Amino acid sequence: MVEVLRETHDTPAAVARTLALAGGMNPYGEPNYRAIWGWNRLAWIGGKFEERDPSTGSLLREVVELRQEPKYTAVNRWHIEKWLPPELYGSPRAWYAQTIEREKGISIPALGPYPSRGDYEHCFTLEGPRGEFVQLTPTVAEYIARAIEWSRKFPRSTKKRALHDREQRQERAYDAWAYALLDDAVPAFHKQPFVTVL
């Protein structure tokens, strides 16, 4: 039998303390921000799963169930998560109406039970510019949490306007470049004589 071992890490106490100070606490006395190792972060997933023989790859059985699986594909990285209140997930009734899947006559919540105490959602994966591993330190954690909190000062409409303006500038710059290129490539009037007819 093949046993899969997961590399797990506990969040360093100094990092947890720094994130709690930077982001504050939620109504349940838990920090608004937390750092978690990718393999440690499991999420509920419901549906039909196939279990296969590791040596041959042949199908052993299909099972419809609710499982906890790694939430992030970057399992060997630190992730910063922010707590979101339960009302952001809608009502329990709406949650189940939107997430129920039916397999072989069995109804199963695809995203697990309703998050009645809220849940932590992904904010940031800690890695270098080329995807390389970066060690989590209290300084890095504080910087990330403060950057996220700072960005919340700006209303969405301001952010959307800034993105729209940037896109417009890029589009105008491209248009100017394209017209200049075309003007240089083609002689005026395609080398045809220009005569005004009255």
Side-chain angles (χ1 to χ4, degrees):
M1 176 174 197
V2 175
E3 184 178 343
V4 177
L5 297 177
R6 297 183 346 217
E7 179 183 352
T8 61
H9 296 282
D10 292 331
T11 305
V15 169
R17 192 170 39 259
T18 299
L19 287 172
L21 289 172
M25 305 298 263
N26 68 25
Y28 301 103
E30 301 163 338
N32 281 320
Y33 291 102
R34 73 177 183 185
I36 193 159
W37 184 249
W39 275 116
N40 290 32
R41 181 59 161 118
L42 302 178
W44 289 107
I45 297 176
K48 180 172 72 172
F49 297 94
E50 295 179 346
E51 294 183 0
R52 298 189 172 273
D53 183 349
S55 59
T56 65
S58 61
L59 182 65
L60 296 175
R61 69 183 181 129
E62 289 181 342
V63 61
V64 177
E65 65 182 5
L66 196 58
R67 291 184 177 178
Q68 285 200 312
E69 296 287 335
K71 184 170 184 172
Y72 305 123
T73 55
V75 291
N76 293 319
R77 296 286 183 269
W78 287 101
H79 301 273
I80 305 295
E81 296 181 322
K82 179 174 180 21
W83 179 81
L84 297 177
E87 54 269 14
L88 287 181
Y89 297 97
S91 69
R93 184 178 187 159
W95 172 267
Y96 288 113
Q98 293 172 359
T99 66
I100 288 291
E101 287 189 3
R102 288 169 181 64
E103 284 289 337
K104 297 185 178 180
I106 301 171
S107 295
I108 190 158
L111 299 177
Y114 176 74
S116 58
R117 290 176 49 101
D119 201 1
Y120 286 91
E121 296 294 342
H122 184 264
C123 281
F124 190 80
T125 299
L126 189 60
E127 59 187 6
R130 289 173 291 288
E132 68 272 13
F133 177 79
V134 173
Q135 184 57 49
L136 179 65
T137 65
T139 305
V140 169
E142 180 179 13
Y143 177 80
I144 293 167
R146 291 198 188 279
I148 293 166
E149 284 298 309
W150 182 80
S151 73
R152 292 180 61 196
K153 293 190 295 187
F154 302 100
R156 283 184 184 260
S157 60
T158 305
K159 293 177 195 174
K160 281 185 179 180
R161 184 76 211 157
L163 286 173
H164 177 73
D165 291 346
R166 184 184 74 195
E167 291 298 319
Q168 288 293 322
R169 283 192 306 274
Q170 288 176 342
E171 196 172 306
R172 283 193 302 271
Y174 175 79
D175 287 348
W177 171 81
Y179 286 129
L181 184 67
L182 290 171
D183 282 347
D184 291 345
V186 178
F189 309 111
H190 299 281
K191 295 186 179 180
Q192 300 299 316
F194 176 70
V195 178
T196 304
V197 178
L198 298 174

mmCIF file of all heavy atoms in Angstrom, residues 33-74:
data_model
loop_
_atom_site.group_PDB
_atom_site.id
_atom_site.type_symbol
_atom_site.label_atom_id
_atom_site.label_comp_id
_atom_site.label_asym_id
_atom_site.label_seq_id
_atom_site.Cartn_x
_atom_site.Cartn_y
_atom_site.Cartn_z
ATOM 1 N N TYR A 33 -6.412 37.983 9.730
ATOM 2 C CA TYR A 33 -5.457 37.428 8.771
ATOM 3 C C TYR A 33 -4.721 36.280 9.419
ATOM 4 O O TYR A 33 -4.430 36.307 10.612
ATOM 5 C CB TYR A 33 -4.438 38.488 8.341
ATOM 6 C CG TYR A 33 -5.041 39.570 7.503
ATOM 7 C CD1 TYR A 33 -5.344 40.803 8.047
ATOM 8 C CD2 TYR A 33 -5.327 39.359 6.161
ATOM 9 C CE1 TYR A 33 -5.913 41.795 7.280
ATOM 10 C CE2 TYR A 33 -5.902 40.350 5.383
ATOM 11 C CZ TYR A 33 -6.186 41.559 5.961
ATOM 12 O OH TYR A 33 -6.765 42.531 5.202
ATOM 13 N N ARG A 34 -4.422 35.280 8.605
ATOM 14 C CA ARG A 34 -3.600 34.180 9.099
ATOM 15 C C ARG A 34 -2.714 33.675 7.969
ATOM 16 O O ARG A 34 -3.027 33.823 6.792
ATOM 17 C CB ARG A 34 -4.451 33.047 9.652
ATOM 18 C CG ARG A 34 -5.166 32.236 8.612
ATOM 19 C CD ARG A 34 -5.938 31.096 9.234
ATOM 20 N NE ARG A 34 -6.581 30.266 8.216
ATOM 21 C CZ ARG A 34 -7.393 29.276 8.473
ATOM 22 N NH1 ARG A 34 -7.682 28.995 9.742
ATOM 23 N NH2 ARG A 34 -7.923 28.564 7.516
ATOM 24 N N ALA A 35 -1.605 33.093 8.369
ATOM 25 C CA ALA A 35 -0.697 32.452 7.416
ATOM 26 C C ALA A 35 -0.868 30.954 7.600
ATOM 27 O O ALA A 35 -0.964 30.459 8.731
ATOM 28 C CB ALA A 35 0.740 32.861 7.705
ATOM 29 N N ILE A 36 -0.919 30.240 6.483
ATOM 30 C CA ILE A 36 -1.101 28.796 6.558
ATOM 31 C C ILE A 36 -0.288 28.129 5.452
ATOM 32 O O ILE A 36 -0.176 28.652 4.350
ATOM 33 C CB ILE A 36 -2.600 28.419 6.486
ATOM 34 C CG1 ILE A 36 -2.811 26.963 6.869
ATOM 35 C CG2 ILE A 36 -3.186 28.756 5.141
ATOM 36 C CD1 ILE A 36 -4.211 26.642 7.318
ATOM 37 N N TRP A 37 0.292 26.996 5.804
ATOM 38 C CA TRP A 37 1.066 26.206 4.849
ATOM 39 C C TRP A 37 0.092 25.508 3.907
ATOM 40 O O TRP A 37 -0.956 25.020 4.328
ATOM 41 C CB TRP A 37 1.926 25.210 5.608
ATOM 42 C CG TRP A 37 2.831 24.398 4.744
ATOM 43 C CD1 TRP A 37 2.729 23.071 4.490
ATOM 44 C CD2 TRP A 37 3.995 24.849 4.030
ATOM 45 N NE1 TRP A 37 3.746 22.670 3.657
ATOM 46 C CE2 TRP A 37 4.543 23.744 3.368
ATOM 47 C CE3 TRP A 37 4.611 26.089 3.885
ATOM 48 C CZ2 TRP A 37 5.677 23.830 2.560
ATOM 49 C CZ3 TRP A 37 5.742 26.180 3.098
ATOM 50 C CH2 TRP A 37 6.262 25.044 2.449
ATOM 51 N N GLY A 38 0.416 25.445 2.621
ATOM 52 C CA GLY A 38 -0.478 24.891 1.617
ATOM 53 C C GLY A 38 -1.003 23.504 1.931
ATOM 54 O O GLY A 38 -2.195 23.225 1.752
ATOM 55 N N TRP A 39 -0.147 22.605 2.404
ATOM 56 C CA TRP A 39 -0.610 21.251 2.731
ATOM 57 C C TRP A 39 -1.508 21.236 3.960
ATOM 58 O O TRP A 39 -2.301 20.321 4.147
ATOM 59 C CB TRP A 39 0.569 20.317 2.974
ATOM 60 C CG TRP A 39 1.144 19.702 1.741
ATOM 61 C CD1 TRP A 39 2.403 19.898 1.245
ATOM 62 C CD2 TRP A 39 0.515 18.779 0.851
ATOM 63 N NE1 TRP A 39 2.589 19.169 0.108
ATOM 64 C CE2 TRP A 39 1.442 18.462 -0.165
ATOM 65 C CE3 TRP A 39 -0.742 18.189 0.794
ATOM 66 C CZ2 TRP A 39 1.165 17.591 -1.204
ATOM 67 C CZ3 TRP A 39 -1.027 17.322 -0.247
ATOM 68 C CH2 TRP A 39 -0.083 17.027 -1.220
ATOM 69 N N ASN A 40 -1.388 22.246 4.819
ATOM 70 C CA ASN A 40 -2.208 22.286 6.032
ATOM 71 C C ASN A 40 -3.627 22.753 5.751
ATOM 72 O O ASN A 40 -4.533 22.495 6.523
ATOM 73 C CB ASN A 40 -1.602 23.234 7.065
ATOM 74 C CG ASN A 40 -0.329 22.713 7.673
ATOM 75 O OD1 ASN A 40 0.439 22.010 7.039
ATOM 76 N ND2 ASN A 40 -0.080 23.077 8.911
ATOM 77 N N ARG A 41 -3.820 23.492 4.644
ATOM 78 C CA ARG A 41 -5.126 24.093 4.366
ATOM 79 C C ARG A 41 -5.986 23.123 3.578
ATOM 80 O O ARG A 41 -5.834 22.936 2.381
ATOM 81 C CB ARG A 41 -4.935 25.396 3.589
ATOM 82 C CG ARG A 41 -6.248 26.108 3.268
ATOM 83 C CD ARG A 41 -7.011 26.444 4.540
ATOM 84 N NE ARG A 41 -7.984 27.483 4.286
ATOM 85 C CZ ARG A 41 -9.287 27.319 4.442
ATOM 86 N NH1 ARG A 41 -9.777 26.172 4.855
ATOM 87 N NH2 ARG A 41 -10.099 28.323 4.211
ATOM 88 N N LEU A 42 -6.908 22.513 4.290
ATOM 89 C CA LEU A 42 -7.837 21.578 3.672
ATOM 90 C C LEU A 42 -9.206 22.237 3.556
ATOM 91 O O LEU A 42 -9.587 23.043 4.393
ATOM 92 C CB LEU A 42 -7.933 20.299 4.501
ATOM 93 C CG LEU A 42 -6.617 19.549 4.716
ATOM 94 C CD1 LEU A 42 -6.833 18.327 5.602
ATOM 95 C CD2 LEU A 42 -5.986 19.152 3.397
ATOM 96 N N ALA A 43 -9.928 21.891 2.508
ATOM 97 C CA ALA A 43 -11.274 22.429 2.287
ATOM 98 C C ALA A 43 -12.197 21.282 1.924
ATOM 99 O O ALA A 43 -11.775 20.275 1.362
ATOM 100 C CB ALA A 43 -11.242 23.469 1.167
ATOM 101 N N TRP A 44 -13.471 21.464 2.239
ATOM 102 C CA TRP A 44 -14.462 20.446 1.903
ATOM 103 C C TRP A 44 -14.731 20.440 0.411
ATOM 104 O O TRP A 44 -14.916 21.484 -0.200
ATOM 105 C CB TRP A 44 -15.770 20.704 2.646
ATOM 106 C CG TRP A 44 -15.686 20.433 4.105
ATOM 107 C CD1 TRP A 44 -15.659 21.360 5.109
ATOM 108 C CD2 TRP A 44 -15.621 19.152 4.735
ATOM 109 N NE1 TRP A 44 -15.572 20.728 6.320
ATOM 110 C CE2 TRP A 44 -15.552 19.370 6.122
ATOM 111 C CE3 TRP A 44 -15.609 17.844 4.260
ATOM 112 C CZ2 TRP A 44 -15.476 18.334 7.041
ATOM 113 C CZ3 TRP A 44 -15.532 16.812 5.180
ATOM 114 C CH2 TRP A 44 -15.466 17.058 6.545
ATOM 115 N N ILE A 45 -14.768 19.251 -0.143
ATOM 116 C CA ILE A 45 -15.134 19.060 -1.551
ATOM 117 C C ILE A 45 -16.057 17.852 -1.601
ATOM 118 O O ILE A 45 -15.706 16.783 -1.099
ATOM 119 C CB ILE A 45 -13.904 18.810 -2.440
ATOM 120 C CG1 ILE A 45 -12.979 20.028 -2.415
ATOM 121 C CG2 ILE A 45 -14.329 18.492 -3.865
ATOM 122 C CD1 ILE A 45 -11.705 19.836 -3.176
ATOM 123 N N GLY A 46 -17.221 18.041 -2.183
ATOM 124 C CA GLY A 46 -18.164 16.942 -2.306
ATOM 125 C C GLY A 46 -18.369 16.560 -3.749
ATOM 126 O O GLY A 46 -18.347 17.410 -4.629
ATOM 127 N N GLY A 47 -18.535 15.286 -3.994
ATOM 128 C CA GLY A 47 -18.773 14.827 -5.356
ATOM 129 C C GLY A 47 -18.434 13.370 -5.518
ATOM 130 O O GLY A 47 -18.312 12.621 -4.548
ATOM 131 N N LYS A 48 -18.255 12.959 -6.765
ATOM 132 C CA LYS A 48 -17.924 11.568 -7.059
ATOM 133 C C LYS A 48 -16.406 11.467 -7.223
ATOM 134 O O LYS A 48 -15.799 12.195 -7.995
ATOM 135 C CB LYS A 48 -18.618 11.109 -8.345
ATOM 136 C CG LYS A 48 -18.305 9.661 -8.702
ATOM 137 C CD LYS A 48 -19.140 9.168 -9.867
ATOM 138 C CE LYS A 48 -18.689 9.804 -11.144
ATOM 139 N NZ LYS A 48 -19.322 9.244 -12.340
ATOM 140 N N PHE A 49 -15.807 10.563 -6.466
ATOM 141 C CA PHE A 49 -14.373 10.353 -6.510
ATOM 142 C C PHE A 49 -14.080 8.941 -6.997
ATOM 143 O O PHE A 49 -14.798 8.007 -6.663
ATOM 144 C CB PHE A 49 -13.750 10.540 -5.112
ATOM 145 C CG PHE A 49 -13.921 11.931 -4.576
ATOM 146 C CD1 PHE A 49 -14.990 12.242 -3.753
ATOM 147 C CD2 PHE A 49 -13.013 12.924 -4.894
ATOM 148 C CE1 PHE A 49 -15.153 13.519 -3.247
ATOM 149 C CE2 PHE A 49 -13.162 14.199 -4.393
ATOM 150 C CZ PHE A 49 -14.241 14.501 -3.571
ATOM 151 N N GLU A 50 -13.017 8.825 -7.775
ATOM 152 C CA GLU A 50 -12.580 7.514 -8.255
ATOM 153 C C GLU A 50 -11.352 7.101 -7.455
ATOM 154 O O GLU A 50 -10.431 7.894 -7.281
ATOM 155 C CB GLU A 50 -12.222 7.572 -9.736
ATOM 156 C CG GLU A 50 -13.395 7.866 -10.631
ATOM 157 C CD GLU A 50 -12.994 7.941 -12.098
ATOM 158 O OE1 GLU A 50 -11.773 8.024 -12.394
ATOM 159 O OE2 GLU A 50 -13.895 7.913 -12.950
ATOM 160 N N GLU A 51 -11.361 5.880 -6.995
ATOM 161 C CA GLU A 51 -10.191 5.343 -6.324
ATOM 162 C C GLU A 51 -9.576 4.304 -7.244
ATOM 163 O O GLU A 51 -10.257 3.402 -7.723
ATOM 164 C CB GLU A 51 -10.582 4.754 -4.977
ATOM 165 C CG GLU A 51 -11.075 5.832 -4.028
ATOM 166 C CD GLU A 51 -11.401 5.308 -2.643
ATOM 167 O OE1 GLU A 51 -11.249 4.106 -2.391
ATOM 168 O OE2 GLU A 51 -11.836 6.131 -1.821
ATOM 169 N N ARG A 52 -8.280 4.452 -7.506
ATOM 170 C CA ARG A 52 -7.591 3.593 -8.464
ATOM 171 C C ARG A 52 -6.458 2.836 -7.795
ATOM 172 O O ARG A 52 -5.878 3.290 -6.820
ATOM 173 C CB ARG A 52 -7.049 4.427 -9.621
ATOM 174 C CG ARG A 52 -8.161 5.118 -10.390
ATOM 175 C CD ARG A 52 -7.652 5.757 -11.667
ATOM 176 N NE ARG A 52 -8.758 6.238 -12.475
ATOM 177 C CZ ARG A 52 -9.412 5.514 -13.360
ATOM 178 N NH1 ARG A 52 -9.081 4.260 -13.578
ATOM 179 N NH2 ARG A 52 -10.405 6.014 -14.057
ATOM 180 N N ASP A 53 -6.152 1.696 -8.378
ATOM 181 C CA ASP A 53 -5.023 0.886 -7.928
ATOM 182 C C ASP A 53 -3.746 1.626 -8.335
ATOM 183 O O ASP A 53 -3.536 1.906 -9.514
ATOM 184 C CB ASP A 53 -5.071 -0.494 -8.592
ATOM 185 C CG ASP A 53 -3.966 -1.411 -8.114
ATOM 186 O OD1 ASP A 53 -3.027 -0.940 -7.431
ATOM 187 O OD2 ASP A 53 -4.031 -2.616 -8.425
ATOM 188 N N PRO A 54 -2.856 1.948 -7.365
ATOM 189 C CA PRO A 54 -1.661 2.717 -7.697
ATOM 190 C C PRO A 54 -0.709 1.994 -8.652
ATOM 191 O O PRO A 54 -0.032 2.627 -9.447
ATOM 192 C CB PRO A 54 -0.978 2.966 -6.361
ATOM 193 C CG PRO A 54 -1.884 2.481 -5.310
ATOM 194 C CD PRO A 54 -2.970 1.689 -5.946
ATOM 195 N N SER A 55 -0.680 0.699 -8.613
ATOM 196 C CA SER A 55 0.265 -0.035 -9.458
ATOM 197 C C SER A 55 -0.223 -0.196 -10.894
ATOM 198 O O SER A 55 0.561 -0.132 -11.833
ATOM 199 C CB SER A 55 0.572 -1.408 -8.849
ATOM 200 O OG SER A 55 -0.624 -2.143 -8.711
ATOM 201 N N THR A 56 -1.527 -0.383 -11.079
ATOM 202 C CA THR A 56 -2.052 -0.630 -12.433
ATOM 203 C C THR A 56 -2.856 0.533 -12.987
ATOM 204 O O THR A 56 -3.049 0.632 -14.194
ATOM 205 C CB THR A 56 -2.946 -1.879 -12.443
ATOM 206 O OG1 THR A 56 -4.095 -1.627 -11.625
ATOM 207 C CG2 THR A 56 -2.196 -3.101 -11.956
ATOM 208 N N GLY A 57 -3.365 1.391 -12.112
ATOM 209 C CA GLY A 57 -4.198 2.493 -12.554
ATOM 210 C C GLY A 57 -5.633 2.095 -12.825
ATOM 211 O O GLY A 57 -6.444 2.904 -13.251
ATOM 212 N N SER A 58 -5.956 0.824 -12.570
ATOM 213 C CA SER A 58 -7.326 0.364 -12.829
ATOM 214 C C SER A 58 -8.275 0.884 -11.743
ATOM 215 O O SER A 58 -7.898 1.046 -10.584
ATOM 216 C CB SER A 58 -7.376 -1.162 -12.894
ATOM 217 O OG SER A 58 -6.967 -1.725 -11.672
ATOM 218 N N LEU A 59 -9.504 1.118 -12.149
ATOM 219 C CA LEU A 59 -10.519 1.648 -11.257
ATOM 220 C C LEU A 59 -10.909 0.597 -10.225
ATOM 221 O O LEU A 59 -11.296 -0.516 -10.570
ATOM 222 C CB LEU A 59 -11.749 2.078 -12.070
ATOM 223 C CG LEU A 59 -12.894 2.694 -11.293
ATOM 224 C CD1 LEU A 59 -12.477 4.017 -10.667
ATOM 225 C CD2 LEU A 59 -14.094 2.907 -12.211
ATOM 226 N N LEU A 60 -10.785 0.955 -8.957
ATOM 227 C CA LEU A 60 -11.190 0.052 -7.881
ATOM 228 C C LEU A 60 -12.651 0.274 -7.502
ATOM 229 O O LEU A 60 -13.405 -0.677 -7.363
ATOM 230 C CB LEU A 60 -10.301 0.258 -6.650
ATOM 231 C CG LEU A 60 -8.823 -0.074 -6.825
ATOM 232 C CD1 LEU A 60 -8.046 0.302 -5.571
ATOM 233 C CD2 LEU A 60 -8.640 -1.551 -7.147
ATOM 234 N N ARG A 61 -12.992 1.573 -7.324
ATOM 235 C CA ARG A 61 -14.384 1.888 -6.983
ATOM 236 C C ARG A 61 -14.628 3.369 -7.172
ATOM 237 O O ARG A 61 -13.699 4.173 -7.224
ATOM 238 C CB ARG A 61 -14.704 1.477 -5.551
ATOM 239 C CG ARG A 61 -14.000 2.306 -4.501
ATOM 240 C CD ARG A 61 -14.305 1.803 -3.108
ATOM 241 N NE ARG A 61 -13.637 2.646 -2.132
ATOM 242 C CZ ARG A 61 -14.224 3.206 -1.098
ATOM 243 N NH1 ARG A 61 -15.491 2.976 -0.868
ATOM 244 N NH2 ARG A 61 -13.553 3.954 -0.263
ATOM 245 N N GLU A 62 -15.896 3.709 -7.291
ATOM 246 C CA GLU A 62 -16.334 5.095 -7.314
ATOM 247 C C GLU A 62 -17.122 5.335 -6.045
ATOM 248 O O GLU A 62 -17.937 4.499 -5.649
ATOM 249 C CB GLU A 62 -17.224 5.373 -8.530
ATOM 250 C CG GLU A 62 -16.482 5.373 -9.833
ATOM 251 C CD GLU A 62 -17.401 5.678 -11.005
ATOM 252 O OE1 GLU A 62 -18.636 5.547 -10.864
ATOM 253 O OE2 GLU A 62 -16.876 6.032 -12.068
ATOM 254 N N VAL A 63 -16.874 6.467 -5.410
ATOM 255 C CA VAL A 63 -17.568 6.779 -4.167
ATOM 256 C C VAL A 63 -18.056 8.226 -4.219
ATOM 257 O O VAL A 63 -17.352 9.103 -4.710
ATOM 258 C CB VAL A 63 -16.658 6.517 -2.940
ATOM 259 C CG1 VAL A 63 -15.414 7.377 -2.984
ATOM 260 C CG2 VAL A 63 -17.393 6.713 -1.642
ATOM 261 N N VAL A 64 -19.283 8.446 -3.752
ATOM 262 C CA VAL A 64 -19.853 9.791 -3.657
ATOM 263 C C VAL A 64 -19.800 10.165 -2.188
ATOM 264 O O VAL A 64 -20.425 9.516 -1.347
ATOM 265 C CB VAL A 64 -21.305 9.822 -4.181
ATOM 266 C CG1 VAL A 64 -21.902 11.210 -4.003
ATOM 267 C CG2 VAL A 64 -21.361 9.388 -5.630
ATOM 268 N N GLU A 65 -19.001 11.213 -1.902
ATOM 269 C CA GLU A 65 -18.833 11.594 -0.499
ATOM 270 C C GLU A 65 -18.314 13.020 -0.389
ATOM 271 O O GLU A 65 -17.993 13.668 -1.372
ATOM 272 C CB GLU A 65 -17.881 10.636 0.205
ATOM 273 C CG GLU A 65 -16.462 10.684 -0.308
ATOM 274 C CD GLU A 65 -15.540 9.676 0.375
ATOM 275 O OE1 GLU A 65 -16.017 8.878 1.182
ATOM 276 O OE2 GLU A 65 -14.338 9.713 0.080
ATOM 277 N N LEU A 66 -18.215 13.460 0.842
ATOM 278 C CA LEU A 66 -17.662 14.754 1.189
ATOM 279 C C LEU A 66 -16.272 14.498 1.757
ATOM 280 O O LEU A 66 -16.120 13.699 2.691
ATOM 281 C CB LEU A 66 -18.566 15.422 2.230
ATOM 282 C CG LEU A 66 -18.426 16.898 2.483
ATOM 283 C CD1 LEU A 66 -18.633 17.692 1.216
ATOM 284 C CD2 LEU A 66 -19.436 17.337 3.534
ATOM 285 N N ARG A 67 -15.252 15.136 1.179
ATOM 286 C CA ARG A 67 -13.872 14.925 1.617
ATOM 287 C C ARG A 67 -13.210 16.263 1.904
ATOM 288 O O ARG A 67 -13.614 17.282 1.379
ATOM 289 C CB ARG A 67 -13.031 14.273 0.524
ATOM 290 C CG ARG A 67 -13.364 12.885 0.196
ATOM 291 C CD ARG A 67 -12.380 12.376 -0.829
ATOM 292 N NE ARG A 67 -12.641 10.979 -1.135
ATOM 293 C CZ ARG A 67 -11.966 10.288 -2.016
ATOM 294 N NH1 ARG A 67 -10.980 10.850 -2.695
ATOM 295 N NH2 ARG A 67 -12.249 9.033 -2.238
ATOM 296 N N GLN A 68 -12.150 16.185 2.680
ATOM 297 C CA GLN A 68 -11.297 17.355 2.841
ATOM 298 C C GLN A 68 -10.047 17.132 2.005
ATOM 299 O O GLN A 68 -9.355 16.134 2.164
ATOM 300 C CB GLN A 68 -10.943 17.584 4.302
ATOM 301 C CG GLN A 68 -12.109 18.160 5.075
ATOM 302 C CD GLN A 68 -11.654 18.820 6.348
ATOM 303 O OE1 GLN A 68 -10.889 18.256 7.115
ATOM 304 N NE2 GLN A 68 -12.135 20.023 6.580
ATOM 305 N N GLU A 69 -9.815 18.076 1.091
ATOM 306 C CA GLU A 69 -8.684 18.014 0.171
ATOM 307 C C GLU A 69 -7.909 19.323 0.276
ATOM 308 O O GLU A 69 -8.453 20.333 0.718
ATOM 309 C CB GLU A 69 -9.182 17.833 -1.271
ATOM 310 C CG GLU A 69 -9.900 16.531 -1.525
ATOM 311 C CD GLU A 69 -8.967 15.328 -1.571
ATOM 312 O OE1 GLU A 69 -7.773 15.507 -1.873
ATOM 313 O OE2 GLU A 69 -9.447 14.213 -1.288
ATOM 314 N N PRO A 70 -6.626 19.337 -0.151
ATOM 315 C CA PRO A 70 -5.882 20.604 -0.139
ATOM 316 C C PRO A 70 -6.612 21.673 -0.954
ATOM 317 O O PRO A 70 -7.064 21.422 -2.067
ATOM 318 C CB PRO A 70 -4.540 20.237 -0.780
ATOM 319 C CG PRO A 70 -4.393 18.774 -0.528
ATOM 320 C CD PRO A 70 -5.791 18.210 -0.586
ATOM 321 N N LYS A 71 -6.729 22.862 -0.366
ATOM 322 C CA LYS A 71 -7.461 23.954 -1.021
ATOM 323 C C LYS A 71 -6.637 24.602 -2.125
ATOM 324 O O LYS A 71 -7.186 25.064 -3.116
ATOM 325 C CB LYS A 71 -7.841 25.010 0.016
ATOM 326 C CG LYS A 71 -8.675 26.132 -0.554
ATOM 327 C CD LYS A 71 -9.233 27.027 0.512
ATOM 328 C CE LYS A 71 -10.151 28.071 -0.123
ATOM 329 N NZ LYS A 71 -10.869 28.841 0.862
ATOM 330 N N TYR A 72 -5.329 24.652 -1.960
ATOM 331 C CA TYR A 72 -4.474 25.356 -2.912
ATOM 332 C C TYR A 72 -3.608 24.380 -3.694
ATOM 333 O O TYR A 72 -3.136 23.394 -3.153
ATOM 334 C CB TYR A 72 -3.576 26.357 -2.185
ATOM 335 C CG TYR A 72 -4.354 27.324 -1.330
ATOM 336 C CD1 TYR A 72 -4.106 27.447 0.030
ATOM 337 C CD2 TYR A 72 -5.359 28.119 -1.878
ATOM 338 C CE1 TYR A 72 -4.823 28.324 0.814
ATOM 339 C CE2 TYR A 72 -6.079 28.990 -1.101
ATOM 340 C CZ TYR A 72 -5.810 29.093 0.246
ATOM 341 O OH TYR A 72 -6.532 29.960 1.016
ATOM 342 N N THR A 73 -3.388 24.708 -4.962
ATOM 343 C CA THR A 73 -2.506 23.867 -5.776
ATOM 344 C C THR A 73 -1.053 24.071 -5.379
ATOM 345 O O THR A 73 -0.252 23.158 -5.512
ATOM 346 C CB THR A 73 -2.677 24.174 -7.276
ATOM 347 O OG1 THR A 73 -2.457 25.561 -7.490
ATOM 348 C CG2 THR A 73 -4.063 23.786 -7.755
ATOM 349 N N ALA A 74 -0.710 25.254 -4.897
ATOM 350 C CA ALA A 74 0.653 25.515 -4.415
ATOM 351 C C ALA A 74 0.744 25.018 -2.976
ATOM 352 O O ALA A 74 0.658 25.777 -2.025
ATOM 353 C CB ALA A 74 0.974 26.999 -4.506
#
